[in-house]
Amino acid sequence: MVHRILADAAGSLAPSQIRNALPKAYRPTEEELARRLRSMCASGAVHRWPRDRFGAKAPEDSAAGAIIGTLADRPLTSAGIARIVARKLRGIGKETVAAALKALVAEKRVLRHPPAPRGRTPRFALTAPDPADYLEPGLSRLVAHVAKKGFTPESVKMAIAR
């Protein structure tokens, strides 16, 4: 039952949360639950997390899955990834998230992008960067600059396309 409770949890649970999730008829004492959790950790059925918490998966594996889920929408900086993943997986440290991100980049499951226009920090995503994202701000300024000379923005864009 403990393993099922941990598998249903998004990240990790404290022993008191695990105990409260058990049916009253099957609730062991806190000492007995702690002994069982240590035994389950030794056998690999349960994984110990920072701050005396426990999960069905290792913190690194949970962090990797959460990072991939977080990057499904858009590229993010490592700080943005760490903030979102820490919110999703209570009890996980920023060091664990950073190590999982580094491993995902090494495996090429996550790709490093150049900093955003007017940004300084590299971003990470599941897909390759699109050059159009980096050209748009500069092209918009160029079109506006040339349009000031009497050209229509559409004619400037057509000239760039040629």
Side-chain angles (χ1 to χ4, degrees):
M1 284 194 268
V2 169
H3 194 270
R4 189 172 338 122
I5 290 167
L6 290 172
D8 291 343
S12 65
L13 296 174
S16 60
Q17 292 172 309
I18 297 168
R19 187 174 183 274
N20 291 339
L22 290 168
K24 285 188 179 187
Y26 296 104
R27 282 186 191 162
T29 64
E30 288 185 29
E31 296 80 26
E32 177 64 21
L33 179 61
R35 189 182 61 72
R36 288 182 187 175
L37 287 169
R38 283 192 300 272
S39 171
M40 292 174 82
C41 285
S43 69
V46 169
H47 298 275
R48 189 176 192 104
W49 284 48
R51 300 185 194 131
D52 199 32
R53 297 175 71 86
F54 298 88
K57 293 181 180 177
E60 299 80 16
D61 296 338
S62 294
I67 289 169
I68 289 173
T70 300
L71 292 176
D73 297 334
R74 66 188 189 282
L76 292 169
T77 63
S78 57
I81 293 168
R83 187 173 47 255
I84 292 170
V85 170
R87 213 175 309 132
K88 285 182 182 179
L89 303 175
R90 261 191 88 216
I92 199 157
K94 290 183 181 183
E95 303 81 24
T96 305
V97 175
L101 179 60
K102 186 176 181 179
L104 288 169
V105 170
E107 295 169 6
K108 298 192 190 294
R109 292 175 60 195
V110 171
L111 303 173
R112 188 171 193 260
H113 285 208
R118 300 185 185 255
R120 295 182 183 168
T121 309
R123 299 181 303 163
F124 299 89
L126 301 179
T127 59
D130 183 5
D133 295 340
Y134 298 89
L135 290 172
E136 182 57 36
L139 287 176
S140 296
R141 285 191 305 272
L142 178 64
V143 169
H145 177 72
V146 175
K148 287 181 185 176
K149 298 188 185 283
F151 298 100
T152 65
E154 292 76 28
S155 65
V156 175
K157 289 177 184 176
M158 288 174 41
I160 290 172
R162 278 197 313 264

